[in-house]
Amino acid sequence: MSGPYCCPNCGTNRSRFNIIEQVPKSVKMDPQSGEIVQEYSNQALDPFHTPYRGPSIKVQCGVCGLIEDEIRFESFAKNSRR
């Protein structure tokens, strides 16, 4: 977290948030059963498996429940200061 948050949906919450740390797990699944056949490390992905490039943190507003990237909450707080 690099700065204050403000919910871009409800616009009033500046203090109640859930920080969601995303930990991706790269797997190969059986298409019929859904069973995990193989787990990959980021260093050993096969040529057809794209590594996760999404954000490591998501934020949920503790008032209205909106879940977005952390940057949206930070940007809204910066642009709506009074």
Side-chain angles (χ1 to χ4, degrees):
M1 191 176 122
S2 60
Y5 292 163
C6 183
C7 178
N9 185 50
C10 65
T12 58
N13 180 25
R14 292 181 174 272
S15 60
R16 294 178 189 88
F17 301 98
N18 296 312
I19 308 291
I20 304 164
E21 295 176 354
Q22 300 193 118
V23 182
K25 181 178 175 180
S26 299
V27 298
K28 182 177 182 180
M29 297 174 74
D30 180 279
Q32 278 75 39
S33 69
E35 182 179 326
I36 294 176
V37 177
Q38 185 175 0
E39 288 189 37
Y40 300 103
S41 70
N42 281 340
Q43 293 77 24
L45 292 175
D46 72 21
F48 299 106
H49 200 113
T50 304
Y52 179 72
R53 292 189 179 102
S56 59
I57 294 177
K58 290 260 191 186
V59 177
Q60 181 180 30
C61 176
V63 175
C64 72
L66 176 74
I67 299 174
E68 288 287 344
D69 292 348
E70 182 181 40
I71 191 76
R72 292 247 0 246
F73 284 84
E74 290 175 337
S75 295
F76 197 78
K78 191 181 294 182
N79 294 330
S80 67
R81 287 200 177 144
R82 296 177 186 158

